[in-house]
Amino acid sequence: MIEPRRIFCIGRNYREHVRELENETPAEPVVFMKPVACLARKGQTLRRPPYGEDLQHEAEAVVLIGKEGAAIDEAAASSYIAGISLGLDLTLRDVQKQLKAKGLPWELAKAFDQSAPIGQFIPFDDSIDLENISFKCFVNGRLRQEGNTKDMIFPIKTLIRFLSLRWRLMPGDLIYTGTPAGVGPLVSGNKITLESDLIGRFSWEMAGVAPGGI
Ligand code: MG
């Protein structure tokens, strides 16, 4: 696989999720980043950070960029995609609420070690409809989130256009494309499974609290 280079994350990209967190529907994509060191491959045991109370799952479709490009037209955007997977944008919700209230950056809530579990990528080709990828998130076998990329406020091609007008996209860039409604808490002993008929099925188990950095 292409070596991961950067992780772009899109916030508030599904209306029902915007509503559940009582946020405003954004006029343009909300973008933040996680360091590549946050990635946790499928099957890796996850440890919760040693701070914060409310660790939550956000299941997301993830796009892998395979070709360099800037100011990419939406019509050409799919030709820049090398692969598609599913991932988790793990979030310390209580920490995020405090940071949001103070207008502070989100790294403490979103960019801790192992905050970006990632499944395996399937190669992208034009037979894949970017605007109809369904996926689910189960915790201990119970359905928590069910989403379809057709419900995105800003579709994947629009996100590629938007990001490429601000950064030169490079092979290995990942885009976590936002989460549907149903985000919820994770505790030690939970098994989290992401599933998509198209992409596959990936699981992680939550162990206890990490003593310091994970
Ligand atoms: Mg997210």
Side-chain angles (χ1 to χ4, degrees), residues 43-47 187-192 203-207:
Q44 210 174 314
T45 300
L46 304 178
R47 305 195 67 183
V187 296
S188 301
N190 279 168
K191 183 179 182 187
I192 313 147
S203 293
W204 294 265
E205 293 198 21
M206 287 294 317

Side-chain angles (χ1 to χ4, degrees), residues 9-12 17 32 34 58-60 88-91 93 110 176-179:
C9 299
I10 307 301
R12 304 176 193 170
H17 172 64
F32 59 96
K34 301 192 185 211
E58 294 190 2
E60 311 200 357
L88 290 163
D89 165 20
L90 294 180
T91 303
R93 192 70 64 201
K110 290 271 198 187
Y176 280 61
T177 57
T179 199

Side-chain angles (χ1 to χ4, degrees), residues 36-50:
V36 168
C38 295
L39 292 171
R41 303 289 176 184
K42 63 162 189 158
Q44 210 174 314
T45 300
L46 304 178
R47 305 195 67 183
R48 48 178 304 138

